Amino acid sequence: LNSKGISEEVQRGFKIGYDKETKSVVIPWTNKDGQIVRLQFRSVNSKKFWFSKEGDRIKNHLFGLYHIYRKNSTTAWIVEAPIDCMYLWTQGIPSIATGTASISKTQLKLLKQSPIETLVIASDNDEAGMKMKDKLIK
């Protein structure tokens, strides 16, 4: 993840690991209390990613929300990918990620209950990203 501009400090803070068997980066998804709810894997040789079979559905969580609560951040950026989220944290910008090009009702509820008062929408500039942006604005 260093080559993606994500600092070692941020990687440690997000408890990033490496799986030798699958040659992939292991990205733990946590709930707002910091408990791991599911693992995401990203190949180091391609953009391919997958999730562990065990755990809760990611649509029930926002990646990075634990750090928002921990730092009591009232301003945050929202992106689609955890890697983009960690890149922003490396730049000193509190952020969360949906994990997909959409946002679920549960994720919206978590967002409304969070300490975030100002949300910068940084979804991808494609059709799905525009739909996510529109849903967030509503």
Side-chain angles (χ1 to χ4, degrees):
L1 294 179
N2 291 338
S3 67
K4 301 277 184 204
I6 301 168
S7 71
E8 279 190 43
E9 180 183 357
V10 167
Q11 290 179 53
R12 283 191 189 111
F14 279 87
K15 296 181 172 56
I16 301 302
Y18 179 73
D19 182 17
K20 291 179 186 176
E21 249 181 65
T22 61
K23 295 185 178 151
S24 60
V25 173
V26 182
I27 303 169
W29 277 68
T30 64
N31 62 19
K32 68 181 182 72
D33 299 319
Q35 298 167 318
I36 296 173
V37 294
R38 192 130 190 220
L39 298 176
Q40 180 176 0
F41 298 83
R42 187 181 193 280
S43 171
V44 296
N45 299 318
S46 69
K47 290 186 174 189
K48 180 181 173 190
F49 68 91
W50 61 96
F51 290 91
S52 61
K53 292 178 183 172
E54 307 82 24
D56 198 9
R57 300 175 74 179
I58 63 162
K59 74 177 195 171
N60 295 328
H61 304 279
L62 288 165
F63 185 84
L65 190 60
Y66 166 70
H67 297 279
I68 296 292
Y69 275 94
R70 195 168 58 88
K71 301 226 181 227
N72 200 29
S73 300
T74 57
T75 299
W77 289 40
I78 187 166
V79 295
E80 296 173 22
I83 288 177
D84 295 337
C85 177
M86 291 185 288
Y87 173 81
L88 288 169
W89 278 101
T90 296
Q91 305 310 309
I93 301 169
S95 60
I96 53 177
T98 59
T100 66
S102 63
I103 187 162
S104 71
K105 288 180 183 180
T106 303
Q107 288 172 324
L108 285 170
K109 184 178 176 183
L110 289 169
L111 188 57
K112 288 176 186 175
Q113 294 171 343
S114 78
I116 298 169
E117 297 170 5
T118 303
L119 185 68
V120 177
I121 302 169
S123 55
D124 289 356
N125 192 22
D126 56 19
E127 187 178 338
M130 293 302 114
K131 283 183 184 178
M132 183 172 119
K133 175 191 77 159
D134 293 343
K135 193 170 184 179
L136 283 164
I137 289 171
K138 286 180 187 176

